[in-house]
């Protein structure tokens, strides 16, 4: 059965932007004289900018203040956005759910300017679209606040919503919000306990009643 509401993570779930973020991080780190850690991708997946900065500062010697660091990181990110692609199958499912009148929102740990730029790049920007960025909440994922705000914006009970996320951080937040949670990683891996673990677009479509 098609759910009443579906809330999507953005980076890695709706858009294939994780490689862009990683490339920008690596370039920004090297420009600051810091060798990127080998496990960078695993350490930053689904994490918002400030905790990533703290990790790089405390564990890898990043000496720049945060405001200067984030500008440098985004200076490397913006040129890559024009080549951003949606995750295969995701935008098609989003549009099909929209055509059926299902309430939807995008729930991201990225800053507002990144959310807006990424969604425009993949053709997901329309009047009345509901989005929650890291700037819109006090606590980012893995705290449930971003998904609870999405439920408030969509005027639905969290228990009536389905959340889709590709990271443990995001799936943990959705579970804490009391939502049916689909863990849809870009590469097969086990998800948090309580989440529905899917790996193929066909499985996601079936789970959403499409």
């Amino acid at each position: 059965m098609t759910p009443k509401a579906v809330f999507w993570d953005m980076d890695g779930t709706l858009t294939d932007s994780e490689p862009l973020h990683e490339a920008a991080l690596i370039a920004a780190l090297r420009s600051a004289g810091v060798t990127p850690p080998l496990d960078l991708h695993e350490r930053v997946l689904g994490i918002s900018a400030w905790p990533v900065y703290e990790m790089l500062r405390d564990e890898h010697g990043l000496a720049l203040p945060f405001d200067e660091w984030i500008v440098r990181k985004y200076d490397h990110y913006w040129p890559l956005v024009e080549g951003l692609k949606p995750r295969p199958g995701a935008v098609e499912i989003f549009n099909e759910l929209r055509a059926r009148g299902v309430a939807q929102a995008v729930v991201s740990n990225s800053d507002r300017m990144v959310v807006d730029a990424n969604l425009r790049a993949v053709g997901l920007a329309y009047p009345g679209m509901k989005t929650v960025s890291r700037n819109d909440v006090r606590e980012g994922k893995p705290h449930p606040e971003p998904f609870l705000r999405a439920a408030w914006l969509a005027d639905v009970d969290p228990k009536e919503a389905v959340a889709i996320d590709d990271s443990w951080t995001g799936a943990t937040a959705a579970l804490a919000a009391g939502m049916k949670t689909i863990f849809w990683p870009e590469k097969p891996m086990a998800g948090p306990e309580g989440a529905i673990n899917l790996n193929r677009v066909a499985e996601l479509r079936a789970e959403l009643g499409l």
Side-chain angles (χ1 to χ4, degrees):
M1 184 173 67
T2 305
K4 186 172 183 179
V6 177
F7 302 138
W8 299 79
D9 171 58
M10 182 182 68
D11 295 305
T13 303
L14 271 174
T15 67
D16 191 20
S17 48
E18 294 292 1
L20 278 61
H21 282 290
E22 185 172 357
L25 272 175
I26 289 172
L29 283 169
R30 287 176 175 160
S31 75
V34 177
T35 300
L38 295 177
D39 62 349
L40 181 66
H41 178 75
E42 292 77 13
R43 295 292 301 277
V44 305
L45 182 63
I47 307 297
S48 59
W50 176 255
V52 169
Y53 168 77
E54 288 184 310
M55 180 271 289
L56 295 171
R57 180 195 64 194
D58 298 345
E59 299 180 27
H60 299 283
L62 178 62
L64 296 175
F66 176 77
D67 288 348
E68 185 177 340
W69 159 251
I70 200 63
V71 168
R72 185 173 300 203
K73 190 259 185 174
Y74 286 155
D75 281 346
H76 287 283
Y77 184 79
W78 297 132
L80 304 175
V81 174
E82 64 181 31
L84 179 63
K85 303 296 182 185
R87 184 168 173 185
V91 170
E92 290 84 353
I93 293 174
F94 187 102
N95 287 332
E96 190 169 339
L97 290 170
R98 184 184 173 204
R100 294 191 181 194
V102 177
Q104 295 184 95
V106 176
V107 183
S108 178
N109 254 357
S110 285
D111 288 337
R112 165 57 55 194
M113 59 197 304
V114 176
V115 171
D116 291 347
N118 283 6
L119 294 179
R120 282 197 302 269
V122 298
L124 274 184
Y126 54 85
M129 185 175 186
K130 296 176 174 60
T131 60
V132 179
S133 75
R134 181 61 185 88
N135 304 111
D136 301 320
V137 292
R138 291 175 296 178
E139 300 286 345
K141 307 172 191 176
H143 195 280
E145 185 183 354
F147 281 109
L148 292 174
R149 177 165 178 79
W152 180 80
L153 289 172
D155 193 24
V156 298
D157 188 312
K159 293 183 176 61
E160 297 179 299
V162 172
I164 307 170
D165 210 296
D166 72 306
S167 73
W168 269 68
T169 300
T172 299
L175 288 166
M179 296 179 181
K180 179 179 178 179
T181 301
I182 295 174
F183 181 62
W184 190 37
E186 293 190 276
K187 296 180 180 179
M189 68 176 75
E193 184 177 353
I196 299 168
N197 212 116
L198 303 180
N199 292 300
R200 295 170 31 233
V201 173
E203 294 174 327
L204 180 58
R205 291 183 60 84
E207 190 64 42
L208 295 173
L210 298 176

